[in-house]
Amino acid sequence: MSTTTTTPDRPTAPEYTPTDRTVPTRARQRASYDRALVHAILDEGYVCHLGFIRDGAPVVLPTLYGRVGERLYVHGSTGSRPLRMAGSRAAGAGSGEAEAPGLPVCLTVTHVDGLVLARSAFHHSLNYRSVVVHGTARQVTDPEELRTALDALVDHVVPGRSADSRPANAKELAATAVLRLDLDEVSAKARDAGPNDDAEDLALPHWAGVVPVAPRTGAPVPSADLDPSITLPAYLTAL
Amino acid sequence: MSTTTTTPDRPTAPEYTPTDRTVPTRARQRASYDRALVHAILDEGYVCHLGFIRDGAPVVLPTLYGRVGERLYVHGSTGSRPLRMAGSRAAGAGSGEAEAPGLPVCLTVTHVDGLVLARSAFHHSLNYRSVVVHGTARQVTDPEELRTALDALVDHVVPGRSADSRPANAKELAATAVLRLDLDEVSAKARDAGPNDDAEDLALPHWAGVVPVAPRTGAPVPSADLDPSITLPAYLTAL
């Protein structure tokens, strides 16, 4: 669970400003720039797909993320490729510069809500909600921001968990790299409807409708070395 | 459900050949090039995240995919951005060329299997399986291959569904663009284990273990205009 606090230097207009990159070429009616909707979609997830360019080619990697106000944080060890690239760019920027040039990225979060089965193969579809963020990711160097980001990452996976685990120590903080991506150039897209069959297909003998889909968490499996006197915390039974 | 038929011109060695792009810089022990594992991960899903470069910047979009042997197919209308780009490149290739240059892409499929809760915030992780495919996507122009691809796309969403829906007609085929991506430069990555806490943290009073996660399908919701005499087909009750 992310906080809803916005960082002081960010705007809080009810909508993000559309740009050439965030106006889709098709299904425009499914696009939204509503800030609250974007936040809600982001807060429901914890895995994003992060795209960047390496050696001139696109790369897409799944990774954990967390939201704090109008900033997203992406987690990885300092050895991971996107973080190394952002870091090496920063290192090459010269010691006199205030900010590293950063890594151009596209960060996408998708929730599948339903399988849309139409009478015609052509009109099969999905109900879904997604957010696409374009921008430049920069490595977090401020220790306080790094701690805030790590808490957000852990709390996105399980709300309330960061308060019930040992915080990162200095050695771990040094081994952890986190990228920050501002929520500026952002759009959400969603479909939430039944099948859209052509009128002449309605009499066909095929079942049509929506099969709901959602992630389900199963019963937590304690670690083999867990002290048996430690019972399941409330934030896990609530899942 | 994909067929396991391989196209005649593709190799069927038990492993994909690693390349610079498919050898990870970290967690190498989690990487695999096993063809059967890659196929199994791909066949379990239907939504991928497709990365490409537009105007020099990375773009990542969620989209449906299907597998047929050693080929992946990605679906979209002819108006969608990646397909238009592949199409416009093809148009610019000159009429004398045998094959369009295509669109460099990275296609990633991720399944989250569990939330790994360690005593330390630092060791929190996910259990997951993912496949990353690098390559050049090309628009499918052969009508027979297009039909095969569309069947695979529908059957990935619900196995058996393509046989129980009206096949695409000529007009629909003309309005549908499908990109093909060969499975050549491919890796799988997986984590399937409990938390990896440091020895000195084992006595901490925090619950540790794994919370299993899996997608769940709910009870199918018939379309409001569905003939009530049409009962739920067996391939849907099996979900």
Side-chain angles (χ1 to χ4, degrees):
Chain A
M1 187 68 73
S2 298
T3 72
T4 53
T5 319
T6 54
T7 44
D9 57 332
R10 310 294 311 156
T12 50
E15 297 214 332
Y16 295 102
T17 305
T19 70
D20 282 353
R21 296 202 285 199
T22 61
V23 175
T25 49
R26 58 185 288 262
R28 288 193 183 203
Q29 76 284 1
R30 292 184 192 164
S32 166
Y33 308 93
D34 184 80
R35 199 176 292 266
L37 176 65
V38 165
H39 289 183
I41 293 171
L42 291 172
D43 290 355
E44 198 176 311
Y46 46 84
V47 172
C48 66
H49 282 79
L50 184 74
F52 56 98
I53 300 174
R54 188 180 60 212
D55 298 334
V59 179
V60 178
L61 297 180
T63 187
L64 290 171
Y65 73 92
R67 181 179 75 86
V68 178
E70 295 297 325
R71 288 178 169 171
L72 292 184
Y73 294 101
V74 177
H75 181 246
S77 95
T78 49
S80 77
R81 277 174 164 161
L83 297 165
R84 277 199 317 163
M85 289 169 72
S88 64
R89 288 187 180 214
S95 56
E97 299 193 22
E99 192 167 43
L103 179 73
V105 298
C106 179
L107 185 156
T108 300
V109 172
T110 305
H111 306 303
V112 176
D113 296 324
L115 317 175
V116 182
L117 307 188
R119 283 88 167 177
S120 62
F122 182 74
H123 280 300
H124 277 64
S125 187
L126 288 184
N127 284 338
Y128 66 95
R129 290 159 296 142
S130 66
V131 164
V132 175
V133 184
H134 299 272
T136 300
R138 292 188 169 84
Q139 191 165 346
V140 174
T141 51
D142 177 74
E144 198 54 43
E145 186 179 6
L146 193 53
R147 285 194 181 279
T148 301
L150 288 174
D151 281 353
L153 284 158
V154 169
D155 284 338
H156 257 257
V157 176
V158 177
R161 178 67 185 180
S162 73
D164 185 27
S165 56
R166 176 178 66 69
N169 58 35
K171 183 182 160 198
E172 290 168 343
L173 283 178
T176 305
V178 170
L179 290 183
R180 178 183 69 234
L181 176 63
D182 289 340
L183 290 173
D184 262 334
E185 201 170 349
V186 186
S187 62
K189 219 170 159 187
R191 186 192 195 280
D192 178 20
N196 186 29
D197 270 308
D198 299 331
E200 59 265 35
D201 288 336
L202 294 181
L204 289 174
H206 309 302
W207 189 91
V210 174
V211 180
V213 181
R216 177 181 53 175
T217 54
V221 180
S223 185
D225 52 15
L226 184 68
D227 177 343
S229 72
I230 298 179
T231 55
L232 206 61
Y235 58 78
L236 285 182
T237 48
L239 290 180
Chain B
M1 184 75 73
S2 298
T3 71
T4 53
T5 319
T6 53
T7 44
D9 57 331
R10 310 296 310 157
T12 51
E15 297 213 332
Y16 294 102
T17 305
T19 71
D20 283 351
R21 296 202 285 198
T22 61
V23 175
T25 48
R26 59 184 286 262
R28 288 193 183 204
Q29 77 285 1
R30 292 185 192 165
S32 166
Y33 308 93
D34 184 80
R35 198 175 294 264
L37 176 65
V38 165
H39 289 182
I41 292 171
L42 291 173
D43 290 357
E44 199 176 312
Y46 46 84
V47 172
C48 67
H49 281 80
L50 184 73
F52 56 98
I53 299 173
R54 187 180 60 211
D55 298 333
V59 179
V60 178
L61 298 179
T63 188
L64 290 170
Y65 72 92
R67 181 179 75 87
V68 179
E70 295 298 325
R71 287 177 170 172
L72 292 184
Y73 294 101
V74 176
H75 181 245
S77 94
T78 50
S80 77
R81 276 176 165 157
L83 297 165
R84 278 199 317 164
M85 290 169 72
S88 63
R89 290 189 179 213
S95 57
E97 297 194 26
E99 192 168 42
L103 179 73
V105 298
C106 180
L107 185 156
T108 300
V109 173
T110 306
H111 306 304
V112 175
D113 296 325
L115 317 175
V116 181
L117 307 188
R119 282 90 168 175
S120 62
F122 181 75
H123 281 300
H124 277 64
S125 187
L126 289 184
N127 283 338
Y128 67 95
R129 290 159 297 142
S130 65
V131 163
V132 176
V133 184
H134 299 272
T136 300
R138 293 187 168 85
Q139 192 165 347
V140 174
T141 51
D142 178 72
E144 200 53 45
E145 185 179 6
L146 193 54
R147 285 194 183 280
T148 301
L150 289 173
D151 282 353
L153 284 158
V154 169
D155 284 338
H156 257 258
V157 176
V158 177
R161 178 68 185 179
S162 73
D164 186 27
S165 55
R166 176 179 65 69
N169 57 35
K171 184 183 159 197
E172 290 168 344
L173 283 178
T176 306
V178 170
L179 291 183
R180 179 183 70 234
L181 176 64
D182 289 339
L183 290 172
D184 261 336
E185 200 169 349
V186 186
S187 62
K189 218 170 161 187
R191 186 190 194 280
D192 178 21
N196 186 28
D197 270 308
D198 299 332
E200 58 266 37
D201 288 335
L202 294 181
L204 290 175
H206 308 301
W207 189 90
V210 174
V211 181
V213 181
R216 176 182 53 174
T217 55
V221 179
S223 186
D225 53 14
L226 184 68
D227 178 344
S229 73
I230 299 178
T231 55
L232 205 62
Y235 58 79
L236 285 182
T237 48
L239 290 180

Coordinates of all heavy atoms in Angstrom, one line a residue, chain B residues 37 40-41 44 109-113 127-131 189-191:
Chain B
L37 N 10.8 -26.0 -20.9 CA 10.5 -25.1 -19.9 C 9.9 -23.8 -20.5 O 8.9 -23.3 -20.0 CB 11.7 -24.8 -19.0 CG 11.4 -23.8 -17.9 CD1 10.4 -24.2 -16.9 CD2 12.7 -23.4 -17.2
A40 N 6.5 -24.4 -21.8 CA 5.5 -24.5 -20.7 C 5.1 -23.2 -20.1 O 3.9 -22.9 -19.9 CB 6.0 -25.5 -19.7
I41 N 6.1 -22.3 -19.9 CA 5.8 -21.0 -19.4 C 5.0 -20.2 -20.4 O 4.0 -19.5 -20.0 CB 7.1 -20.2 -19.0 CG1 7.8 -20.9 -17.8 CG2 6.9 -18.8 -18.7 CD1 9.2 -20.4 -17.5
E44 N 1.3 -21.3 -20.6 CA 0.4 -21.1 -19.5 C -0.2 -19.7 -19.5 O -1.1 -19.4 -18.7 CB 1.2 -21.3 -18.2 CG 0.4 -21.5 -17.0 CD 1.3 -21.8 -15.7 OE1 2.2 -22.6 -15.8 OE2 1.0 -21.1 -14.7
V109 N 7.0 -12.6 -20.9 CA 5.8 -13.2 -20.3 C 6.2 -13.6 -18.8 O 7.3 -14.2 -18.6 CB 5.4 -14.5 -21.0 CG1 4.3 -15.2 -20.2 CG2 5.0 -14.2 -22.4
T110 N 5.4 -13.2 -17.9 CA 5.8 -13.4 -16.5 C 4.6 -14.0 -15.7 O 3.5 -13.5 -15.8 CB 6.1 -12.0 -15.8 OG1 7.2 -11.4 -16.6 CG2 6.6 -12.2 -14.4
H111 N 4.9 -15.0 -14.9 CA 3.9 -15.6 -14.0 C 4.4 -15.4 -12.6 O 5.5 -15.8 -12.3 CB 3.7 -17.1 -14.3 CG 3.3 -17.4 -15.7 ND1 2.2 -16.8 -16.3 CD2 3.9 -18.2 -16.6 CE1 2.2 -17.3 -17.6 NE2 3.2 -18.2 -17.7
V112 N 3.6 -14.8 -11.7 CA 4.0 -14.6 -10.3 C 3.4 -15.8 -9.6 O 2.2 -16.1 -9.7 CB 3.4 -13.3 -9.7 CG1 3.7 -13.3 -8.2 CG2 4.0 -12.1 -10.5
D113 N 4.2 -16.6 -8.9 CA 3.8 -17.8 -8.2 C 3.8 -17.6 -6.6 O 3.1 -18.4 -6.0 CB 4.8 -18.9 -8.5 CG 4.7 -19.3 -10.0 OD1 3.7 -19.2 -10.6 OD2 5.8 -19.6 -10.5
N127 N 8.5 -15.5 -5.9 CA 8.7 -16.6 -6.7 C 7.9 -16.4 -8.1 O 6.8 -15.9 -8.1 CB 8.1 -17.9 -6.0 CG 9.0 -18.4 -4.9 OD1 10.2 -18.1 -5.0 ND2 8.5 -19.1 -4.0
Y128 N 8.6 -16.7 -9.1 CA 8.0 -16.4 -10.5 C 8.6 -17.2 -11.5 O 9.6 -17.9 -11.3 CB 8.3 -14.9 -10.8 CG 9.8 -14.6 -11.0 CD1 10.4 -14.7 -12.3 CD2 10.7 -14.5 -9.9 CE1 11.7 -14.5 -12.5 CE2 12.0 -14.3 -10.1 CZ 12.5 -14.3 -11.4 OH 13.9 -14.2 -11.5
R129 N 8.0 -17.2 -12.7 CA 8.6 -17.8 -13.9 C 8.4 -16.8 -15.0 O 7.3 -16.3 -15.2 CB 7.9 -19.1 -14.3 CG 8.2 -20.3 -13.3 CD 7.1 -21.3 -13.4 NE 5.8 -20.8 -13.0 CZ 4.7 -21.0 -13.6 NH1 4.6 -21.9 -14.6 NH2 3.5 -20.5 -13.2
S130 N 9.5 -16.5 -15.7 CA 9.3 -15.6 -16.8 C 10.1 -16.1 -18.1 O 11.1 -16.9 -17.9 CB 9.8 -14.2 -16.4 OG 11.2 -14.2 -16.2
V131 N 9.7 -15.6 -19.2 CA 10.4 -15.9 -20.5 C 10.6 -14.5 -21.2 O 9.7 -13.7 -21.2 CB 9.6 -16.8 -21.4 CG1 10.1 -16.8 -22.8 CG2 9.6 -18.2 -20.9
K189 N 13.5 -17.6 -16.8 CA 14.1 -17.3 -15.5 C 13.0 -17.7 -14.5 O 11.8 -17.5 -14.7 CB 14.4 -15.8 -15.4 CG 15.7 -15.5 -14.6 CD 16.1 -14.1 -14.8 CE 17.1 -13.7 -13.7 NZ 17.4 -12.2 -13.7
A190 N 13.5 -18.3 -13.4 CA 12.5 -18.7 -12.4 C 13.1 -18.7 -11.0 O 14.3 -18.9 -10.8 CB 12.0 -20.2 -12.7
R191 N 12.3 -18.4 -10.0 CA 12.6 -18.6 -8.6 C 11.5 -19.4 -8.0 O 10.3 -19.1 -8.2 CB 12.7 -17.2 -7.9 CG 13.2 -17.3 -6.5 CD 13.1 -16.0 -5.7 NE 13.9 -16.1 -4.4 CZ 13.5 -16.7 -3.3 NH1 12.4 -17.3 -3.2 NH2 14.3 -16.7 -2.2

